[in-house]
Amino acid sequence: MIITPGNAPLALWRKAYRGAVPTLDESCRGAVEAGAATVAAILRKGEAVYGINTGFGKLAQVRIADTDLAMLQRNIVLSHAAGVGENLPADVVRLILALKLGSLARGASGVRWAVIEMLATCLERGLLPAIPAQGSVGASGDLAPLAHMTAALMGVGEFLGEGEASAALARHGLEPLVLGPKEGLALLNGTQVSTALALAGLFETERAYASALVTGALSTDAAKGSDGPFDPRIHALRGHRGQAEAAASLRALMEGSEIRASHRVDDPRVQDPYCLRCQPQVMGACLDILRQAATTLEIEANGVSDNPLVFSAEGEVISGGNFHAEPVAFAADTIAMAICEIGSLAERRITLLTDPVLSGLPAFLTPRPGLNSGFMIPQVTAAALVAENRQRAMPASVDSIPTSANQEDHVSMATHGARRLLPMAENLRAILGIEYLAAAQGCDFHAPLRSSPKLEQARALLRACVPMLEEDRHMAPDMQAATDLIATGALAELTEVSL
C-alpha cells in the first residue's frame, strides 16, 4: 500500500485506518529536497521569513538570530504540546502519521528527507505517539495534538503502548529527531488530526449505513411492510442518485421473501408509516451527503495544509491560510447529521415493531407480554442514544472563538466537530444492533414463512449467537452481540452500496 503524494485514493486511507501500514512512493524525494534547499537558500540570504527565522503567531514580528534557529523549532513543539484529555485511539494516530507523511512529501513544507524517513519508520514499526484528543480549534493547524506527535519523535512525551518516548526510540534503535529550520512549524501546522478523525468517523458511518439498509429491510419484512415504495420508477422521477441506489439495495435485500409474498394481495393497509416507506428518501439523502463529505476529505487528505508554503521552482516562501480546516468542519458536520438521521429512522422502526397496534405483532415482541417485558427497554435505550446523537449533532462549523491575542480571530472548530463522530457512530451501531434483534424477532413470529435469501442470511448470522427471545433474559449480552456484528461489517457485506 503506497502513498503517492497528492494522489492517494480514499481506499488507501480507509485501509490505513483499518490497520494496514502504508509506505511512501520515494519518487517524491527530489521535490522534498528541493523544498529544503529553498529554505536553506533563504537563510543564507538573511531574509526574514515567517516561521523560519521569526517568532510565531502574534510574535511573527520578532526576528530570531541564526544561532537560535534550532532552539526556535524545538521551543515551538514543546510549548505547543498543551493538549488535554484521553489519548486518541491507535487507529486514528496511525492515520494522522500517514496523512502528515503524504503532506510533507509534496515538497511544499521545506523539511529535510530525514523528517520524512522518521515518520515513515515510526509508521512501519508501529511507533504511534500518544496524542491527547482535546486542545485544537481547527485553525493555524491542529497545533496542540500535532505538537504531541512531533514531541514524541523528538524523544519527549510517550508512544502508545511503549511508554516514555526517548526510551522507546532507543529500544527501536532510533535517534530522536533534531529539527532544522521550518521543520517544527511544518510538523505542527496542518489539518491532519481533524482530517484523520473525520475520515475515521466517515469509515465507521459507511459501515453502519450499509448495515442500516439491511436492518431496515428486515424490519420492513417483520412488520409485513410493502416493497412498493422501493419501485425504481418512483425514484427515477425524482432523480437523486443516492435515493435510487438506496431503493435498489432495499429491493434486492427483500427479493424472494415469502413473508412479503404472503400479504401482497388483499392487504387492507394502503400505506406504511414513513419509517418504512420513506427509507429510500432518507437513506438516499444520507448517502449523497456522505459522498460529498468523502470527496472533501479525500481532497484534504491529499492536500498541503502547512504555512508558510515553499515554492522551490520560484525560490519563494509565501504565507497563506491552508491550515484553516473549514472544509473539514463542514464535512464533519454533514457526517454528524447523517449519523443522527440514520439512527433516528432506525429507532422509529424499533418503536413500530414493539407497538402491536402498528405492527400486528405481540406487544414488545414477546410471546407472553405482561409476564415478560421483551423489547420494552431496549427501545428506550435506542431512544436515549438517538437523543444523545441529536444533542451532539449541532454544527461545530458555526462556532468560532478568537485565539493567539486575536491574530487567529476566526477558527473552524473542525477538530471538535470531527472528534465527536466516533462516539456518535458507536451510538448508531448500538441502535442498529437493537433494531437487528427486534427485526429478527419479528420475523420469527411469521414462521414457517421465511424472508428473502439475503435477509435469512442476516438472521442466521444473528441466530448463531443470539437465540429467539422466548422469555425475558439478560438483554445486554444479546445487544452487544448484535452490535458487534454491525461493527465488524458482517451485515454491510450483504449490500453493494458504497461511497
Side-chain angles (χ1 to χ4, degrees):
M1 194 173 74
I2 299 175
I3 299 173
T4 303
N7 194 32
L10 191 68
L12 181 144
W13 307 116
R14 185 187 291 109
K15 289 176 182 177
Y17 171 66
R18 297 289 180 200
V21 178
T23 57
L24 185 65
D25 181 353
E26 293 199 12
S27 65
C28 65
R29 182 165 184 166
V32 172
E33 292 181 339
T38 301
V39 171
I42 287 170
L43 286 171
R44 287 195 297 271
K45 293 177 183 177
E47 299 175 5
V49 178
Y50 174 73
I52 296 178
N53 51 16
T54 72
F56 306 103
K58 194 75 171 182
L59 301 174
Q61 74 279 6
V62 179
R63 180 69 181 268
I64 308 299
D66 289 352
T67 54
D68 291 331
L69 294 184
M71 182 61 71
L72 174 69
Q73 298 302 313
R74 181 176 176 83
N75 284 351
I76 188 178
V77 174
L78 300 183
S79 67
H80 286 45
V84 298
E86 296 182 358
N87 290 327
L88 293 173
D91 291 343
V92 172
V93 177
R94 185 188 311 108
L95 191 50
I96 291 168
L97 263 63
L99 290 167
K100 179 57 82 174
L101 182 64
S103 177
L104 296 181
R106 295 285 299 273
S109 300
V111 303
R112 295 164 298 143
W113 186 250
V115 175
I116 301 290
E117 288 181 316
M118 186 65 170
L119 279 168
T121 300
C122 286
L123 264 175
E124 178 188 345
R125 301 189 184 184
L127 276 170
L128 303 176
I131 302 176
Q134 295 170 270
S136 175
V137 295
S140 200
D142 290 312
L143 295 172
L146 287 174
H148 283 275
M149 177 200 77
T150 307
L153 305 183
M154 296 163 52
V156 179
E158 296 183 348
F159 286 98
L160 295 175
E162 294 271 358
E164 199 273 327
S166 62
L169 291 174
R171 283 196 301 273
H172 285 264
L174 299 174
E175 292 291 330
L177 181 64
V178 178
L179 299 173
K182 174 75 167 59
E183 291 176 346
L185 186 60
L187 286 160
L188 268 57
N189 248 317
T191 64
Q192 286 78 35
V193 174
S194 299
T195 303
L197 283 165
L199 283 169
L202 176 70
F203 299 146
E204 295 298 341
T205 305
E206 176 185 31
R207 184 172 279 181
Y209 174 89
S211 302
L213 290 172
V214 179
T215 60
L218 195 60
S219 289
T220 303
D221 238 9
K224 287 191 171 180
S226 173
D227 60 353
F230 311 150
D231 189 301
R233 293 170 292 182
I234 294 172
H235 310 291
L237 282 172
R238 197 174 196 187
H240 291 294
R241 176 191 169 194
Q243 179 177 323
E245 290 185 11
S249 181
L250 290 163
R251 281 198 314 277
L253 286 164
M254 293 186 68
E255 186 175 358
S257 169
E258 294 175 1
I259 298 173
R260 174 64 188 108
S262 72
H263 62 96
R264 194 174 293 278
V265 179
D266 296 330
D267 192 324
R269 296 171 298 176
V270 178
Q271 293 186 138
D272 292 324
Y274 286 4
C275 65
L276 301 182
R277 183 169 23 125
C278 297
Q279 287 180 82
Q281 288 77 13
V282 176
M283 295 296 285
C286 290
L287 181 58
D288 285 338
I289 66 166
L290 287 172
R291 282 174 171 158
Q292 291 170 17
T295 297
T296 296
L297 293 175
E298 184 174 23
I299 292 169
E300 189 72 12
N302 283 288
V304 179
S305 45
D306 186 13
N307 178 63
L309 294 173
V310 178
F311 297 91
S312 55
E314 297 84 9
E316 293 185 58
V317 176
I318 305 176
S319 289
N322 277 1
F323 50 72
H324 199 294
E326 195 81 349
V328 181
F330 284 153
D333 283 346
T334 57
I335 295 168
M337 288 191 294
I339 292 172
C340 205
E341 285 300 276
I342 295 165
S344 181
L345 196 67
E347 186 277 329
R348 291 292 80 205
R349 293 191 296 263
I350 297 167
T351 298
L352 181 150
L353 293 176
T354 56
D355 185 339
V357 175
L358 294 174
S359 69
L361 296 167
F364 299 109
L365 298 172
T366 178
R368 300 175 65 193
L371 176 63
N372 297 289
S373 296
F375 281 79
M376 181 186 293
I377 301 307
Q379 183 275 325
V380 175
T381 299
L385 295 173
V386 167
E388 187 174 306
N389 275 358
R390 286 174 179 166
Q391 292 155 14
R392 285 175 163 169
M394 176 183 171
S397 56
V398 300
D399 191 14
S400 179
I401 186 167
T403 60
S404 193
N406 284 305
Q407 173 76 0
E408 297 156 7
D409 56 358
H410 182 277
V411 298
S412 71
M413 294 298 179
T415 325
H416 163 72
R419 184 165 53 84
R420 67 188 157 162
L421 296 179
L422 286 175
M424 288 182 71
E426 185 177 359
N427 285 349
L428 175 56
R429 287 193 297 270
I431 296 165
L432 295 176
I434 294 168
E435 183 185 16
Y436 192 9
L437 291 168
Q441 181 86 357
C443 287
D444 286 339
F445 288 113
H446 300 317
L449 296 176
R450 294 173 61 81
S451 190
S452 67
K454 284 190 175 182
L455 294 181
E456 286 300 328
Q457 187 178 346
R459 288 179 67 199
L461 285 170
L462 182 66
R463 289 292 175 247
C465 53
V466 179
M468 180 182 178
L469 187 68
E470 301 282 359
E471 303 285 343
D472 280 355
R473 60 176 181 254
H474 190 192
M475 289 296 291
D478 292 359
M479 291 161 57
Q480 187 61 57
T483 301
D484 288 345
L485 287 170
I486 304 291
T488 62
L491 283 194
E493 292 175 0
L494 298 176
T495 71
E496 296 181 357
V497 174
S498 67
L499 300 182

